[in-house]
Amino acid sequence: MDLLARFIADKPVVIFSKSTCCMSHTVKALIFSFGTNPTVIEIDKMPNGHQIERALIQLGCHPSVPAVFIGQQFIGGADKVIGLNIQNKLSQLLLNAKAIFIWGR
């Protein structure tokens, strides 16, 4: 988790992704649609990407990406994030993390 902690420290939204993963693309588009500016980490383009992927799997990410952190808390993968959006709970998490400042839905 120390490896992941360095990436998520002081950032309101972090998305671990692979550039070739369609679900990663979907989650990034959803998060961007709220007007956020998330930190996106494309682990398939990093020299230590395999280490990051192992750390995500140890955290409980299956599959390893997408993995979304909001307010330094692990939220989950695509199913969880999309489910939170359907329940109208994602916007509140983003507001609480100061990733967005107003939401009018």
Side-chain angles (χ1 to χ4, degrees):
M1 184 63 182
D2 290 339
L3 176 63
L4 299 177
R6 290 184 305 176
F7 289 104
I8 64 173
D10 302 323
K11 295 178 183 75
V13 181
V14 177
I15 303 169
F16 289 91
S17 172
K18 287 185 179 176
S19 60
T20 57
C21 174
C22 63
M23 291 311 293
S24 291
H25 175 76
T26 299
V27 167
K28 288 184 286 188
L30 174 60
I31 298 289
F32 276 114
S33 76
F34 284 89
T36 65
N37 188 19
T39 299
V40 177
I41 299 165
E42 301 286 359
I43 64 174
D44 59 331
K45 297 188 179 249
M46 300 180 68
N48 65 338
H50 292 294
Q51 291 175 317
I52 296 168
E53 187 166 20
R54 278 193 298 267
L56 290 168
I57 290 169
Q58 288 175 348
L59 185 63
C61 300
H62 297 287
S64 59
V65 295
V68 177
F69 290 78
I70 299 175
Q72 293 79 44
Q73 299 297 312
F74 175 59
I75 301 304
D79 290 347
K80 181 68 174 184
V81 172
I82 292 168
L84 288 168
N85 187 51
I86 290 169
Q87 298 168 16
N88 292 320
K89 295 180 180 178
L90 184 57
S91 59
Q92 191 60 52
L93 287 174
L94 295 169
L95 282 166
N96 292 346
K98 297 184 179 15
I100 58 176
F101 298 100
I102 190 166
W103 188 249
R105 279 195 189 182

